[in-house]
Amino acid sequence: MTGATRGIGRHAAARLLAEAPRLHLVVLARGTSGEALAESLSRHRDRLTVLEADLLSLDSVRAAADRTAHMLTAGSLPPLRGLLLNGGVQHTSSMVESADGLEATFAVNVLAPHLLIRRLGDHMPEPARIVLTVSDTHFGDLRHNLGLVPGPQWMAPEALARPGAFSSPAGVTAGRTAYSTSKLAAVHLIHEHARRLPPGIVIAGFNPGLVPATGIARSADALSRFAMRWVLPMLALTPLAAMPRTAGRQLARMLLDETPPPDGGYVSRERVVASSAESYDPARERELWDLAERLTAPSAPPA
Ligand SMILES: NC(=O)c1ccc[n+]([C@@H]2O[C@H](COP(=O)([O-])OP(=O)(O)OC[C@H]3O[C@@H](n4cnc5c(N)ncnc54)[C@H](OP(=O)(O)O)[C@@H]3O)[C@@H](O)[C@H]2O)c1
């Protein structure tokens, strides 16, 4: 699992360990955040493994995947039945660079999950499930994003992967556009992976809807952070938003429910629905796949 150290994922991780007594959770986390998680889940310590992985660095992600694969092959972990790829970021410009010189939102939200699926998919026995946390901001309309995040703006994947995409790239609108566009890209990749993975390995997207009081807006201005922390949580009393605990429970259910989500499908909170009309585009998905393969190859040239 990625993105287990705070927000929605922290609740999902606790839920997985509490509800599935035979489950062993491998968490990929950066810096000290993995230790802090292990501390808070100490009563499950014997079923929790934390591995260092910075999703902003393809080398770091590759090393964590390879370490996991090695432990699976050596039998020091039980068979890999699920991948929960929940780690994600939103920035206030489209200029933030990853360790590889790529645009940070695209690197964390799109390339890191792609690399983990490619490195670990072959180590998954059938049946197994892969879940990516996506977002209904990929629809780009008022009904789905309440006007909080601008809609996606698709362009050549090569341009999306580089810092400085979108007009006024140093501005907040460009940063949030990079976010919704990265989530559209993640939905596209789910479709392409679904076509390529063996039939017993199901891959699906999970949309938590608006979940205030997580760390996703942590790089936003003080007013937005205040709203996210203190004002928007009131919306969780309405169907417009959910608290992190609720979203975490729903995310955990994506792995735990007896019936798997539909292959290539999109689960919005607890309902299987269609993703945006724009998100079904095999030609675009193929182009994105080719770029993701090229950028995540071990010998990828510097950006
Ligand atoms: N909150 C919402 O309204 C909302 C709506 C739709 C979709 N989502 C999606 O839900 C997922 C979880 O978001 P959240 O709202 O719970 O936000 P959050 O509290 O900020 O959690 C993000 C998680 O991703 C991890 N992460 C980010 N960058 C990383 C990196 N470079 N290396 C390793 N881990 C990294 C964070 O780890 P650290 O603790 O190390 O930072 C954290 O565990 C994201 O994919 C987000 O896009 C959220």
Side-chain angles (χ1 to χ4, degrees), residues 169-186:
V172 177
T173 302
R176 293 187 181 152
T177 305
Y179 177 78
S180 58
T181 309
S182 76
K183 294 298 182 178
L184 174 60

Side-chain angles (χ1 to χ4, degrees), residues 219-303:
S219 60
D221 60 88
L223 188 61
S224 303
R225 280 185 278 118
F226 179 84
M228 188 75 170
R229 180 80 185 86
W230 298 108
V231 183
L232 292 174
M234 283 189 262
L235 286 179
L237 299 169
T238 76
L240 294 173
M243 290 307 281
R245 180 181 298 277
T246 306
R249 176 178 51 75
Q250 293 167 345
L251 178 57
R253 296 255 51 100
M254 296 285 292
L255 282 195
L256 296 179
D257 275 352
E258 210 166 307
T259 308
D263 197 15
Y266 182 88
V267 178
S268 187
R269 296 171 173 187
E270 292 173 304
R271 286 180 49 229
V272 178
V273 297
S275 49
S276 70
E278 181 185 11
S279 74
Y280 298 94
D281 187 332
R284 200 189 260 188
E285 286 155 7
R286 177 63 198 261
E287 193 189 2
L288 179 63
W289 170 280
D290 288 343
L291 178 83
E293 287 288 282
R294 190 156 56 73
L295 292 179
T296 57
S299 55

Side-chain angles (χ1 to χ4, degrees), residues 159-217:
L160 293 176
R162 308 290 160 187
F166 314 111
S167 62
S168 306
V172 177
T173 302
R176 293 187 181 152
T177 305
Y179 177 78
S180 58
T181 309
S182 76
K183 294 298 182 178
L184 174 60
V187 176
H188 281 316
L189 270 186
I190 288 169
H191 297 160
E192 190 65 27
H193 277 283
R195 282 192 278 274
R196 291 167 184 260
L197 284 162
I201 302 186
V202 163
I203 180 166
F206 167 70
N207 163 51
L210 174 62
V211 186
T214 72
I216 198 72

Side-chain angles (χ1 to χ4, degrees), residues 55-58 95-105 107-108 161 163:
L55 304 179
L56 261 179
S57 156
L58 292 170
M95 303 290 283
V96 183
E97 280 192 26
S98 75
D100 305 281
L102 300 163
E103 194 281 315
T105 324
V108 171

Side-chain angles (χ1 to χ4, degrees), residues 3-9 29-30 33 53-56 86-89 108 133-135 179 183 207-212 214-216 218 228:
T5 52
R6 64 171 90 202
I8 299 166
R30 61 176 162 177
S33 63
D54 183 349
L55 304 179
L56 261 179
N86 175 66
V89 285
V108 171
T133 303
V134 287
S135 164
Y179 177 78
K183 294 298 182 178
N207 163 51
L210 174 62
V211 186
T214 72
I216 198 72
R218 71 185 102 150
M228 188 75 170

